[in-house]
Amino acid sequence: MNTLKLIFITLALSTTAFATQAAESTIISMPEQVSGYYQHQEGNIQITALLDGTNFMSPTLFQDISQDQVHEILKKYHADQAKGVQTSINAFLVNTDNSLVLVDSGTTDCFGAHLGSVLKNLKAAGYQPEQVDTILLTHLHPDHSCGVSKNGVANYPNATIYVSEDEANYWLDPNQVNKVPKEKQAGYVGTVEKIKAALAPYQASKQFKTFKLGDNIKGFEVISTAGHTPGHFSYKLKTTDEDVVFIGDIVHSHTVQFDRPETAIDYDIDPKKAVQTRLKQFPVLAKSGVTVAAPHLPFPGIGHIYSADGKSYQWIPVHFKD
């Protein structure tokens, strides 16, 4: 082999090796999503939306609507996924200057490792759990109540928890299980166990209280929105700008239940009443133009409800504010 040919072969091999190395070096790793919090100023208060995580619901959970109609609506919103209907679990931290109020609390570890990030995101947002003095629970389902404690220890040691008297009676009265249909008693008992474990440290320290319709808690007006659960309540807070309503679970989908608000979901304990509540509240929220904070609408779950005809509705999320 002559010298010139050897040089060409060597150069070719070197070029190939360099190209391979260069190709390998251009692979860029994908970082994880940043902390899930969003701070929204509304008049004289700051609302920090805290993402607990996202979950997937089966489209079959929607009641009295065909699956063809469900998927047609989901496709319109580009929300039709093989995994199911993605839903957020959000909590809201409200800074009123003289009080720090947490509305709902997420799951801690009640539903697995893909959820349970409220406490972490609260700290990432610049707050400490010891600063929270009040916790308002819209209802006691574990995805709203489990986040108040972990392993028997209060996550917010200086906070008092408030929930409606009707809600507390439904879940905490030992005689209630006998009033639940037999086919649902096992699920009810399992839910009660999670709720009792979450609330136990607050009850032991007398930091658990109930309220009735007409009460006002730290400036929050309580609004009966029963149906999803028997004692489900929403909270309205006046600000120097728009009022804010923390609606809880009167809606679970920004797609199906906005296009078709008469559609219940299997999570509702009283589906008929849940639909009546939504059909009553949606027109009020849309007409008044209040800011809405919702636990299961796409993070950050803050926005407005709009309707052109009073029959179907649209979810208008807040625009990013610097």
Side-chain angles (χ1 to χ4, degrees):
M1 183 180 294
N2 61 48
T3 304
L4 186 59
K5 188 174 182 179
L6 182 61
I7 291 172
F8 280 132
I9 292 173
T10 303
L11 285 172
L13 291 172
S14 299
T15 302
T16 302
F18 178 79
T20 301
Q21 185 178 5
E24 290 175 352
S25 66
T26 59
I27 296 174
I28 301 171
S29 63
M30 297 182 184
E32 292 184 359
Q33 181 61 277
V34 296
S35 295
Y37 71 88
Y38 177 77
Q39 291 172 325
H40 175 77
Q41 192 72 29
E42 194 69 67
N44 58 321
I45 70 166
Q46 182 192 65
I47 304 169
T48 303
L50 302 169
L51 179 64
D52 195 61
T54 57
N55 214 359
F56 289 91
M57 304 185 298
S58 169
T60 62
L61 292 173
F62 295 107
Q63 298 180 0
D64 301 320
I65 182 173
S66 73
Q67 283 300 289
D68 286 343
Q69 290 174 308
V70 169
H71 286 287
E72 183 180 341
I73 296 170
L74 292 174
K75 285 178 181 177
K76 181 176 74 172
Y77 289 96
H78 298 276
D80 204 3
Q81 302 181 60
K83 290 183 179 180
V85 183
Q86 185 169 326
T87 180
S88 292
I89 296 177
N90 311 315
F92 302 96
L93 188 67
V94 184
N95 186 340
T96 66
D97 280 339
N98 53 26
S99 191
L100 199 58
V101 180
L102 183 64
V103 183
D104 289 326
S105 69
T107 64
T108 306
D109 54 4
C110 276
F111 292 97
H114 65 297
L115 300 172
S117 295
V118 163
L119 192 60
K120 177 188 73 175
N121 287 326
L122 180 145
K123 293 176 182 177
Y127 291 100
Q128 293 301 316
E130 293 79 11
Q131 294 176 283
V132 177
D133 57 74
T134 304
I135 299 174
L136 303 179
L137 298 179
T138 55
H139 61 299
L140 286 176
H141 272 161
D143 56 325
H144 297 258
S145 63
C146 269
V148 299
S149 66
K150 185 174 182 178
N151 298 328
V153 179
N155 284 335
Y156 306 95
N158 299 317
T160 298
I161 293 177
Y162 293 86
V163 70
S164 80
E165 187 176 274
D166 289 341
E167 187 74 356
N169 288 339
Y170 181 79
W171 296 107
L172 303 179
D173 181 351
N175 297 317
Q176 179 62 37
V177 66
N178 299 318
K179 303 175 185 178
V180 175
K182 286 188 177 181
E183 68 274 13
K184 295 185 178 181
Q185 286 183 358
Y188 171 84
V189 170
T191 299
V192 166
E193 288 176 355
K194 291 180 178 180
I195 293 169
K196 285 185 174 180
L199 299 179
Y202 296 88
Q203 291 177 313
S205 58
K206 301 188 185 304
Q207 292 170 267
F208 177 78
K209 296 183 178 181
T210 61
F211 62 79
K212 296 180 181 179
L213 186 63
D215 288 349
N216 187 290
I217 307 163
K218 294 290 182 77
F220 288 78
E221 175 189 347
V222 302
I223 303 168
S224 178
T225 46
H228 176 63
T229 63
H232 186 287
F233 267 72
S234 302
Y235 301 97
K236 182 177 181 180
L237 180 64
K238 292 185 177 296
T239 80
T240 54
D241 195 354
E242 294 177 359
D243 293 345
V244 182
V245 180
F246 300 84
I247 62 173
D249 284 9
I250 70 169
V251 64
H252 285 78
S253 167
H254 73 293
T255 58
V256 176
Q257 290 182 308
F258 273 76
D259 271 32
R260 297 280 297 273
E262 70 277 11
T263 303
I265 196 166
D266 279 0
Y267 302 137
D268 296 330
I269 290 176
D270 186 339
K272 184 177 180 180
K273 193 168 186 179
V275 167
Q276 291 173 346
T277 291
R278 185 162 48 256
L279 293 176
K280 177 183 177 181
Q281 292 296 322
F282 266 22
V284 173
L285 297 169
K287 185 176 180 180
S288 63
V290 296
T291 297
V292 170
H296 294 307
L297 299 188
F299 182 78
I302 302 173
H304 296 84
I305 294 176
Y306 169 78
S307 178
D309 57 10
K311 296 179 181 179
S312 64
Y313 296 83
Q314 286 180 274
W315 173 244
I316 311 296
V318 289
H319 297 151
F320 176 81
K321 293 182 180 180
D322 195 345

